[in-house]
Amino acid sequence: MGYATLDAALAFPHNLPPTNTHIVVTDTLTSDANFLLHHFIGNQLKADRSVVLVGLAQIFNHYFLISRKLASGLREKAE
């Protein structure tokens, strides 16, 4: 469905990761991972599967400190 060489290297059945699995994609300053996002999103949507994208602007500790001020208990819920 997506990039043929990448599909072959991943060797997922029907070019889709197994059901109930998660894929985390990260990139570096020298290697952009956007092509992986496009690949996985495209394959999932073409197969009528769900996609969840999560991007955080701050580190977890930032959200933890704010939640502590708001008394929402983020640390307990994250563990």
Side-chain angles (χ1 to χ4, degrees):
M1 289 180 180
Y3 304 97
T5 306
L6 182 56
D7 284 331
L10 294 171
F12 289 141
H14 308 290
N15 299 326
L16 296 168
T19 304
N20 296 324
T21 59
H22 302 85
I23 296 174
V24 176
V25 176
T26 60
D27 60 8
T28 65
L29 293 175
T30 58
S31 181
D32 189 349
N34 276 326
F35 78 97
L36 287 171
L37 293 176
H38 294 292
H39 173 77
F40 288 123
I41 292 168
N43 282 357
Q44 292 291 105
L45 295 177
K46 288 177 186 174
D48 199 30
R49 290 175 125 186
S50 298
V51 174
V52 176
L53 294 174
V54 177
L56 301 175
Q58 303 291 330
I59 61 173
F60 178 80
N61 197 50
H62 169 80
Y63 297 102
F64 166 70
L65 293 173
I66 299 298
S67 74
R68 193 168 69 182
K69 289 179 183 178
L70 299 173
S72 62
L74 178 62
R75 171 97 47 209
E76 293 79 21
K77 290 181 171 70
E79 294 175 351

